[in-house]
Amino acid sequence: MSNFAIPTWDTPSLPVAGTDAEFPVRRIYCVGRNYAAHAREMGHDPDREPPFFFAKPSDALVPNGGDVPYPVATKNLHPEIEMVVALKSGGKDIPVEKANDYIYGYGVGLDLTRRDMQGVAKDMGRPWDLSKGFDQSAPTTRLHPVSEVGLIESGTISLTVNGEMRQKGDLADMIWNVPETIAYLSSLIELKSGDLIFTGTPDGVAAIERGDVLIGHVDGLDDLTITVV
Ligand code: MN
């Protein structure tokens, strides 16, 4: 595997709390509309229709405390605060009751979205890829291992912009909880160690501008601080 035709790149990774080790990131999956109030604000019926997923490139991660350049090709950039689940192992058709065993730990992430581009994609039946998976679209904190913080199933998730509360919810209000999400996703693709899952955002999504300072919070994890430049 060392005879590459061009130079290779670093494996994307996240720091791990309590150690110098980095968690290597393979793929980033994201759950759509996983809080009822957010589904409603996006114009959808939040009844338990099956979850749906999209992806971001793993090199879209931005470290905590970093600057995020306002992306090109949008005039309506939305941050979505989400709990991020990191997997230490993978598989296909993982049963719900076993799914927590696959979790390495948790972080706090922003699913940055070019909402206007996504709107065009929805209207025209085009893919969401570049409205969701653009460069630096996934700021994420270091991970806290389950061995340190336990399983996280409830608690406040919130986002402030310039000190003003924008989004606030409770992890317990997810339509599809974390083990259900892992189980469902593993019925569609084979999950593997190093995969991240962005678990969806509560309501209150709105545009941000250059100069805004965002602080994302999930009880028990590091706050995520990002400046839009
Ligand atoms: Mn999202």
Side-chain angles (χ1 to χ4, degrees):
M1 287 289 282
S2 60
N3 186 25
F4 292 112
I6 61 168
T8 57
W9 41 90
D10 292 339
T11 301
S13 64
L14 292 171
V16 177
T19 167
D20 290 340
E22 293 272 318
F23 180 89
V25 176
R26 191 184 81 110
R27 294 181 180 174
I28 303 176
Y29 294 101
C30 306
V31 190
R33 290 178 212 134
N34 201 24
Y35 290 78
H38 174 62
R40 270 187 227 104
E41 77 178 347
M42 300 304 287
H44 294 271
D45 180 348
D47 281 350
R48 271 172 71 105
E49 49 186 49
F52 70 93
F53 300 89
F54 56 91
K56 289 176 185 267
S58 53
D59 65 357
L61 293 169
V62 178
N64 195 4
D67 291 342
V68 172
Y70 195 95
V72 299
T74 185
K75 292 187 166 62
N76 195 18
L77 177 66
H78 282 201
E80 299 182 353
I81 185 66
E82 312 205 0
M83 185 169 77
V84 178
V85 175
L87 300 185
K88 67 182 177 190
S89 55
K92 293 180 191 171
D93 298 318
I94 297 168
V96 173
E97 58 275 15
K98 292 251 165 56
N100 281 331
D101 298 343
Y102 293 74
I103 300 174
Y104 176 80
Y106 305 93
V108 178
L110 285 172
D111 167 13
L112 294 176
T113 303
R114 295 194 273 212
R115 193 71 78 199
D116 39 3
M117 185 186 287
Q118 185 195 29
V120 171
K122 288 177 179 176
D123 288 346
M124 303 190 71
R126 291 176 180 167
W128 289 11
D129 298 38
L130 295 187
S131 62
K132 287 288 197 177
F134 53 92
D135 295 338
Q136 292 157 301
S137 61
T140 303
T141 64
R142 65 180 180 166
L143 300 175
H144 285 269
V146 171
S147 56
E148 182 191 323
V149 296
L151 293 171
I152 298 180
E153 294 164 344
S154 62
T156 298
I157 177 170
S158 64
L159 175 70
T160 63
V161 178
N162 304 324
E164 189 175 310
M165 189 66 73
R166 278 278 183 91
Q167 293 188 264
K168 191 171 187 190
D170 196 293
L171 300 170
D173 293 335
M174 287 182 195
I175 296 171
W176 297 89
N177 66 28
V178 170
E180 289 170 339
T181 298
I182 292 170
Y184 197 94
L185 184 53
S186 76
S187 77
L188 300 173
I189 44 86
E190 181 175 0
L191 289 167
K192 293 195 175 178
S193 59
D195 288 346
L196 301 182
I197 302 172
F198 279 56
T199 55
T201 198
D203 62 319
V205 294
I208 49 174
E209 306 294 341
R210 286 179 185 80
D212 286 349
V213 176
L214 283 57
I215 300 179
H217 171 86
V218 171
D219 283 353
L221 304 176
D222 288 359
D223 282 354
L224 173 63
T225 304
I226 286 295
T227 304
V228 186
V229 297

